[in-house]
Amino acid sequence: MESAIKTIEIFPDCVRLIDQRKLPLNETYVDCRTYHEVADAIKTMVVRGAPAIGVTAAAGVALGVRQLNSEEDFSEQFDAICNTLAQTRPTAVNLFWAIACMRTCARQYQAAPLAERQDALTAEAQRLLAEDIQINRRIGAHGLSLVPDNSTILTHCNAGALATAGYGTALGVIRAAHFAGRHVQVLADETRPFLQGARLTTWELQRDHIPVTLITDNMAGYFMSRGRVDLVIVGADRIAANGDAANKIGTYSLAILAKEHDIPFYVAAPLSTIDRSLASGAEIPIEQRPGDEVRMVGSQRIAAPEVEVENPAFDVTPAHYLRGIITEAGTAMPPSRASIAGLFA
Amino acid sequence: MESAIKTIEIFPDCVRLIDQRKLPLNETYVDCRTYHEVADAIKTMVVRGAPAIGVTAAAGVALGVRQLNSEEDFSEQFDAICNTLAQTRPTAVNLFWAIACMRTCARQYQAAPLAERQDALTAEAQRLLAEDIQINRRIGAHGLSLVPDNSTILTHCNAGALATAGYGTALGVIRAAHFAGRHVQVLADETRPFLQGARLTTWELQRDHIPVTLITDNMAGYFMSRGRVDLVIVGADRIAANGDAANKIGTYSLAILAKEHDIPFYVAAPLSTIDRSLASGAEIPIEQRPGDEVRMVGSQRIAAPEVEVENPAFDVTPAHYLRGIITEAGTAMPPSRASIAGLFA
């Protein structure tokens, strides 16, 4: 049984988040008591990972509505709350999807008294949280057949329990294989600049006693060339209708390396990550983050403050590099407009 | 005119090295007063970069011989000095090449009195230092025709003045283009784990007012896919007779990315980096360095101490990924056993 990681907890008056900026050295929690605090937590990456951001934003909406004292101007105030949370980060579509779920719920209860509406929205956020974990378990079950016994899986960033409400997407597939008794081991890219691989993936895999070896991002090709990588599984932040997938910066490079070495490359993500309104990955907005994330590592400066930096947080991997997209509704393999549409049928 | 960087200074009783572990935050110098101190400085990366290591080792040999008080057992003591310096790092062949130069010099002076032999060896180390700078200027002159005006050049690690006695190999080509009036700009990979790109390449290019933008290693593919990279130039630590080139970990991945985007990929290195005794890159020994270089960034811990790590310091790029190898004797283009042999003709 895997160890429980409480990435997000939703209470009526508080959204509790494990502080992912401080892991693995400190396991501390941030209690957000207003929706503005929730928005800040998403912006500053207390919480990150597309599904986790979605659930957190939903919880932020519920928290914001809980603090309304009257029904007057409800819809304006509700819009303001939703808009604040929607403006936190641009790339992960789960954020907008989760807020849309909250809007639907609010509409369903629009005739109800405020207190009932507030309870319904808190319950909806809690439902999204619980559902996300169940979705990830189904992703794991679908991905299981793609993971041979005695295999080494390379992953990038953290698409684990910490990137979701629990269990994980890419790491969910690895967990499913591990707890099904397969001997799997993980090569974890450290994932500069935020170091989600070094700090988060190693931490959560070690808690579950899944063997993991940390490498720097630029070592992946070396290990592939030596036959030390059997498959690659990563998460995604937004997938277009044609299967092009945005994920943490560096994913695109890994996909090219995997192709050159004829290594299967999979994306694991819930259907809520698929943005069918976008024809291709060219339409996915790529967040550009502050330069000091590159110039610094934690409190350690590694380049002069005046050095010019670019810091795109994501890149887009064209669908033709992907062997399959593993979802809770099955695997689109190979990914295409048709196979992806089939997941929604 | 480029600013002078004193990577290595050779005095009769001292080898002075700029401390590359502390740049760019502190510009300090380490004075090595015994050959053991020189060996430690190479091992601990006070100085790094294949040509710089070679010149430093030669200076260490001269320093060791200078401290012999009698001619008794000269050849045993000379061997001990050379062996200590040869055992500092395994991959860069310039180290062994420079020590061989010192052995040749010692043989030439074997009938001379000790003081004369000591002076000759110090002069030989100083000659190797001056020659390395001249070689790099010739590499720059040969590489110039490969750098179009208004181009963006991606480089990895630091193959600059700090990696050599001065001027640089890959950065020497870029310097040559810049000082010839071409508009060039550089994308510098930060180059984990030791961050030579973030710390050293940005520092030395900024001193020469060459525009440079720092990126993390995993961003190279993103910029290539957006047409933002015109060519790649890197250095090398050892090149086999067939053109396979060992260089800083991550170079191999970059070469694959360049191929996928049809971007020319060049290696710039002196002939002393070519090890004609090795038929292919498979024979090049790859140094494995301590895991804490990956678990830590400076004094900042980024992963738990018990996390398993691999830390290969170099990888080998097969010759067929290289458009050319730029040397002081011309460019082997494309690199092959024949074109490389031609450089020595």
Side-chain angles (χ1 to χ4, degrees):
Chain A
M1 191 61 192
E2 70 272 7
S3 71
I5 294 173
K6 299 206 166 183
T7 305
I8 310 158
E9 289 178 278
I10 303 173
F11 306 103
D13 295 320
C14 169
V15 179
R16 180 168 294 162
L17 302 167
I18 193 167
D19 192 339
Q20 303 199 27
R21 301 166 307 182
K22 303 207 170 142
L23 288 172
L25 305 184
N26 297 296
E27 186 177 331
T28 58
Y29 293 80
V30 172
D31 282 351
C32 302
R33 302 203 171 272
T34 68
Y35 77 90
H36 284 291
E37 288 178 7
V38 173
D40 281 345
I42 296 172
K43 269 188 211 163
T44 60
M45 296 173 74
V46 172
V47 63
R48 28 63 54 196
I53 289 172
V55 170
T56 303
V61 171
L63 189 62
V65 169
R66 176 74 62 180
Q67 289 166 343
L68 297 182
N69 293 318
S70 87
E71 311 213 8
E72 208 178 320
D73 301 327
F74 180 88
S75 85
E76 287 78 2
Q77 295 193 71
F78 185 75
D79 278 348
I81 294 166
C82 289
N83 292 342
T84 297
L85 286 155
Q87 281 158 20
T88 48
R89 299 194 65 192
T91 303
V93 75
N94 312 63
L95 176 72
F96 312 109
W97 171 86
I99 292 169
C101 292
M102 298 303 279
R103 285 188 181 278
T104 301
C105 178
R107 271 196 303 276
Q108 284 166 347
Y109 284 83
Q110 64 189 355
L114 180 60
E116 195 180 324
R117 237 181 294 177
Q118 290 169 327
D119 288 346
L121 285 163
T122 298
E124 175 66 357
Q126 287 166 333
R127 186 189 70 77
L128 289 171
L129 185 152
E131 183 185 66
D132 187 58
I133 298 172
Q134 293 313 311
I135 286 171
N136 291 337
R137 291 185 179 280
R138 290 205 292 279
I139 290 172
H142 283 298
L144 191 55
S145 66
L146 304 171
V147 182
D149 198 13
N150 297 311
S151 54
T152 299
I153 303 151
L154 177 70
T155 191
H156 189 64
C157 196
N158 171 270
L162 289 166
T164 60
Y167 200 73
T169 52
L171 297 193
V173 174
I174 292 168
R175 279 199 165 87
H178 174 77
F179 289 109
R182 302 210 184 143
H183 296 87
V184 293
Q185 56 177 332
V186 175
L187 273 181
D189 275 356
E190 67 174 12
T191 319
R192 279 282 287 150
F194 201 67
L195 295 166
Q196 293 92 335
R199 298 189 304 101
L200 308 178
T201 295
T202 62
W203 181 80
E204 69 165 271
L205 291 178
Q206 288 201 316
R207 283 170 63 114
D208 279 354
H209 306 290
I210 299 173
V212 57
T213 299
L214 173 64
I215 61 174
T216 61
D217 299 311
N218 56 21
M219 292 177 189
Y222 171 92
F223 288 102
M224 288 182 183
S225 74
R226 292 179 174 231
R228 302 249 327 252
V229 178
D230 297 299
L231 67 162
V232 182
I233 312 179
V234 298
D237 291 81
R238 193 184 304 212
I239 299 170
N242 69 344
D244 294 351
N247 189 46
K248 181 52 52 196
I249 188 75
T251 302
Y252 171 61
S253 296
L254 270 189
I256 292 172
L257 295 176
K259 174 194 163 195
E260 186 78 2
H261 296 92
D262 201 20
I263 294 168
F265 189 100
Y266 297 104
V267 166
L271 293 180
S272 56
T273 300
I274 300 176
D275 183 351
R276 299 177 78 193
S277 75
L278 303 186
S280 83
E283 298 172 45
I284 300 174
I286 300 296
E287 178 180 11
Q288 306 290 326
R289 291 192 57 87
D292 268 351
E293 289 185 357
V294 173
R295 290 186 204 96
M296 315 273 292
V297 176
S299 58
Q300 176 92 36
R301 176 166 292 288
I302 61 165
E306 71 275 13
V307 169
E308 191 140 344
V309 163
E310 294 218 33
N311 186 14
F314 303 95
D315 56 26
V316 175
T317 302
H320 65 86
Y321 290 107
L322 310 179
R323 186 74 58 98
I325 298 175
I326 309 165
T327 77
E328 69 271 32
T331 303
M333 191 153 68
S336 67
R337 192 169 302 277
S339 68
I340 287 170
L343 298 172
F344 291 89
Chain B
M1 189 63 191
E2 70 273 7
S3 72
I5 293 173
K6 299 207 165 183
T7 305
I8 309 159
E9 289 178 278
I10 302 173
F11 305 103
D13 295 320
C14 169
V15 179
R16 180 168 294 163
L17 302 167
I18 193 167
D19 192 339
Q20 303 199 28
R21 301 166 306 182
K22 303 205 171 141
L23 288 171
L25 305 185
N26 296 296
E27 187 177 333
T28 57
Y29 293 81
V30 172
D31 282 350
C32 302
R33 301 201 173 273
T34 68
Y35 77 90
H36 284 292
E37 288 177 8
V38 173
D40 280 346
I42 296 173
K43 269 189 212 163
T44 59
M45 294 173 73
V46 171
V47 63
R48 31 60 54 198
I53 288 173
V55 171
T56 303
V61 171
L63 190 61
V65 169
R66 177 74 62 181
Q67 289 166 342
L68 298 180
N69 294 319
S70 87
E71 312 213 9
E72 207 178 323
D73 301 327
F74 179 88
S75 85
E76 287 78 3
Q77 296 192 71
F78 185 74
D79 279 348
I81 293 166
C82 290
N83 292 341
T84 296
L85 286 155
Q87 281 159 21
T88 49
R89 298 194 66 192
T91 302
V93 74
N94 313 60
L95 176 71
F96 313 111
W97 172 86
I99 292 170
C101 292
M102 297 302 279
R103 285 187 181 278
T104 301
C105 178
R107 269 196 304 276
Q108 284 165 345
Y109 285 81
Q110 65 189 354
L114 180 59
E116 194 180 323
R117 235 181 296 179
Q118 289 168 328
D119 288 347
L121 285 164
T122 297
E124 174 67 358
Q126 287 167 333
R127 186 189 70 77
L128 289 172
L129 185 153
E131 183 187 65
D132 187 57
I133 298 172
Q134 292 312 312
I135 285 171
N136 291 336
R137 291 186 179 277
R138 290 206 292 278
I139 290 172
H142 283 297
L144 191 55
S145 65
L146 305 171
V147 181
D149 198 12
N150 298 310
S151 54
T152 300
I153 303 151
L154 177 70
T155 192
H156 188 65
C157 195
N158 170 271
L162 290 165
T164 60
Y167 201 73
T169 53
L171 297 193
V173 174
I174 292 167
R175 279 199 166 86
H178 173 77
F179 288 108
R182 304 216 180 138
H183 296 88
V184 293
Q185 56 177 335
V186 175
L187 273 181
D189 276 355
E190 68 174 11
T191 318
R192 280 280 289 148
F194 201 66
L195 295 164
Q196 292 94 333
R199 299 189 302 102
L200 308 178
T201 295
T202 62
W203 181 79
E204 69 165 272
L205 291 178
Q206 288 202 315
R207 283 170 63 114
D208 279 354
H209 307 289
I210 299 173
V212 57
T213 299
L214 173 64
I215 61 173
T216 62
D217 298 311
N218 55 23
M219 291 176 189
Y222 170 92
F223 287 102
M224 289 183 182
S225 74
R226 293 179 173 231
R228 302 248 329 253
V229 178
D230 297 300
L231 67 162
V232 183
I233 312 180
V234 298
D237 291 82
R238 193 185 304 212
I239 300 170
N242 69 343
D244 295 350
N247 189 45
K248 180 53 52 196
I249 187 75
T251 302
Y252 170 62
S253 296
L254 271 189
I256 292 172
L257 295 175
K259 174 192 164 196
E260 187 78 1
H261 296 91
D262 201 20
I263 294 168
F265 189 101
Y266 297 103
V267 166
L271 294 180
S272 56
T273 300
I274 300 177
D275 183 351
R276 299 176 76 194
S277 74
L278 304 185
S280 85
E283 298 172 44
I284 300 174
I286 299 297
E287 177 180 13
Q288 307 290 326
R289 290 192 56 89
D292 268 351
E293 288 186 357
V294 174
R295 289 185 205 97
M296 315 273 293
V297 176
S299 59
Q300 176 93 37
R301 175 165 292 288
I302 62 165
E306 70 276 13
V307 169
E308 191 140 344
V309 164
E310 293 218 33
N311 187 13
F314 304 94
D315 57 27
V316 175
T317 302
H320 64 87
Y321 290 105
L322 310 179
R323 187 74 59 98
I325 297 174
I326 309 165
T327 76
E328 70 271 32
T331 302
M333 190 152 71
S336 67
R337 191 170 302 279
S339 68
I340 286 169
L343 298 172
F344 291 90

